[in-house]
Amino acid sequence: MSLNQVIYHRTKLAQALVSDLAGEGLLDYRSGLFLAAPRRTGKSTFLRNDLMPACEAQGWLAVYVDLWSNKQLNPQDLIRAAVAKALQPFDSRVRQLAKKVGIGKVTLLDSLSWDLSQPNLPDDATLSQALGLLSHLSKKLIVLIVDEAQHALETPEGLNTMFALKAARDALTQGGQDAIRLVFTGSSRDKLGSLVLKNKSPFYGASITPFPLLGIDFVKFVTKRWNGRLAESNQLLLEDVAYAFELVGHRPEMLAKLIAQVSLELGEAEQLGRLLRTRAITHQQGIWEEYESLFNSLTPLQKAVLLNLVQQAYNNEAFNPFSELSLASIEQNLLSFDAKASVTVSAPSVQKALEALRSKDVIWRANRGEYALEDQGMSEWLLNVRFSGVWEQG
Ligand SMILES: Nc1ncnc2c1ncn2[C@@H]1O[C@H](COP(=O)(O)OP(=O)(O)OP(=O)(O)O)[C@@H](O)[C@H]1O
Ligand SMILES: [Mg+2]
């Protein structure tokens, strides 16, 4: 019995983002909206079911592309295919136009000419040209939504695509034009940070906005639906469901799984709630134990480097492992793990530690050498559980 399939709509959130994108809010997202939230918390569901319809209701043209939808295809091809698909409905209009002016090939905007019925853009077309043409034909503001955008940072082609998108945005917003908005989402704030933090990043200067997690309204919605299926003598209490939802990191799927498990077991109402809480605690502890044993398996230097990375991300700074400041702080961390450490903290030894962390899948490396934790949950565990209160002291 799964109630996970029914979507809880987040209309207000979609409306708020639409008005921010329109420039009506306090925040200016004309350079790009970067939304980050942990895995499985409902980003894609929201983009497709709430944000896109809200954009369309506003008279905008929303184009969605998920960079993880097909891992065989590179980000560039996926984005170009999404734009080509958005152009397809305009094929017949362009053909009519071509007939009227009596030319065999349609030439619009500079020297651009191609057959819009194709699922792909011609090789020589730039994203700027394609998005410019889409804007020209649709006469609508284009909202290009790139889901799992950090994926583009892993290869040179992907990174080039991000620069191409930036160029397209600049081209479509110059000279009083206001024709495009870019929305990027990712499951890691730190990974998305590689798009905006360094002055060589494609969207340097933009900031990462935390994507609001599902909250108490969603818990109410879920509780009501489950109670409709449970015996009257065995109903769920809102506070128990809210507690469990918190512990599963606001993940709808995981909550549904826990409720399904406990509701299959017989018991009184009070026991059902208690059982749900116990299961949620067990779930959380299981994850924490995995982090703990992974962390314990690292050498003192690897731990010290990892902590430096987490500290810098926490301070919203680009991780610069070989700077003098970082090397000093890594050394300080190292001594706190191993007071008699004999390893010298130097660029080569830190490089080696980074490589080891990467081969253990603890950290992720972008094409340009930026690093981030592979699992954002581990960063939260390090900050809030394992070393809770340590950072604030300095
Ligand atoms: N608003 C919602 N109402 C009901 N279920 C939801 C909602 N949002 C997400 N879910 C469920 O949670 C699960 C994860 O959702 P989704 O794939 O949208 O998350 P995500 O953050 O994009 O995950 P990923 O990190 O894997 O890309 C799905 O099973 C989805 O059905
Ligand atoms: Mg997703």
Coordinates of all heavy atoms in Angstrom, one line a residue, residues 109 127-137 142 172:
L109 N 17.4 35.5 -37.9 CA 18.4 35.9 -36.9 C 19.8 35.5 -37.5 O 20.2 34.4 -37.4 CB 18.2 35.2 -35.6 CG 16.9 35.5 -34.9 CD1 16.9 34.6 -33.6 CD2 16.7 36.9 -34.5
L127 N 23.7 27.7 -28.8 CA 22.6 27.8 -27.9 C 22.0 29.2 -27.9 O 20.7 29.4 -27.8 CB 23.0 27.4 -26.5 CG 22.9 25.9 -26.1 CD1 23.4 25.7 -24.7 CD2 21.4 25.5 -26.2
S128 N 22.8 30.2 -28.0 CA 22.3 31.6 -28.1 C 21.4 31.8 -29.3 O 20.3 32.3 -29.1 CB 23.5 32.6 -28.2 OG 24.1 32.8 -27.1
Q129 N 21.8 31.2 -30.4 CA 21.0 31.4 -31.6 C 19.6 30.6 -31.4 O 18.6 31.1 -31.7 CB 21.7 30.8 -32.8 CG 22.8 31.7 -33.3 CD 23.7 31.1 -34.4 OE1 24.0 29.9 -34.3 NE2 24.0 31.8 -35.4
A130 N 19.8 29.4 -30.9 CA 18.6 28.6 -30.8 C 17.6 29.2 -29.8 O 16.4 29.3 -30.1 CB 19.0 27.2 -30.3
L131 N 18.1 29.7 -28.7 CA 17.2 30.3 -27.7 C 16.7 31.6 -28.2 O 15.5 32.0 -27.9 CB 17.9 30.4 -26.3 CG 18.1 29.1 -25.6 CD1 19.2 29.2 -24.5 CD2 16.8 28.5 -25.0
G132 N 17.5 32.3 -29.0 CA 17.0 33.6 -29.6 C 15.9 33.3 -30.5 O 14.9 34.0 -30.5
L133 N 16.0 32.3 -31.3 CA 15.0 31.9 -32.3 C 13.7 31.5 -31.5 O 12.6 31.9 -31.9 CB 15.5 30.8 -33.2 CG 14.5 30.3 -34.2 CD1 14.2 31.4 -35.2 CD2 15.1 29.1 -35.0
L134 N 13.9 30.7 -30.5 CA 12.7 30.3 -29.7 C 12.0 31.5 -29.1 O 10.8 31.6 -29.1 CB 13.2 29.4 -28.6 CG 12.1 28.7 -27.7 CD1 11.1 27.9 -28.6 CD2 12.7 27.8 -26.6
S135 N 12.8 32.5 -28.6 CA 12.2 33.7 -28.0 C 11.5 34.5 -29.1 O 10.3 34.9 -29.0 CB 13.3 34.5 -27.4 OG 12.9 35.8 -27.3
H136 N 12.1 34.6 -30.3 CA 11.5 35.3 -31.4 C 10.2 34.7 -31.9 O 9.2 35.4 -32.1 CB 12.6 35.2 -32.6 CG 12.2 36.0 -33.8 ND1 12.4 37.3 -34.0 CD2 11.5 35.6 -34.9 CE1 12.0 37.7 -35.1 NE2 11.4 36.6 -35.7
L137 N 10.2 33.4 -32.0 CA 9.0 32.7 -32.5 C 7.8 32.6 -31.5 O 6.7 32.8 -31.8 CB 9.3 31.3 -33.0 CG 10.2 31.2 -34.2 CD1 10.7 29.8 -34.4 CD2 9.5 31.7 -35.4
I142 N 11.4 32.9 -21.9 CA 11.7 31.5 -21.8 C 12.3 31.3 -20.4 O 13.2 32.0 -19.9 CB 12.8 31.2 -22.8 CG1 12.3 31.4 -24.2 CG2 13.3 29.7 -22.7 CD1 13.4 31.5 -25.3
L172 N 20.4 37.4 -24.6 CA 19.0 37.6 -24.6 C 18.5 38.6 -23.5 O 17.3 38.8 -23.3 CB 18.2 36.2 -24.3 CG 17.9 35.5 -25.6 CD1 19.1 34.8 -26.3 CD2 16.8 34.5 -25.4

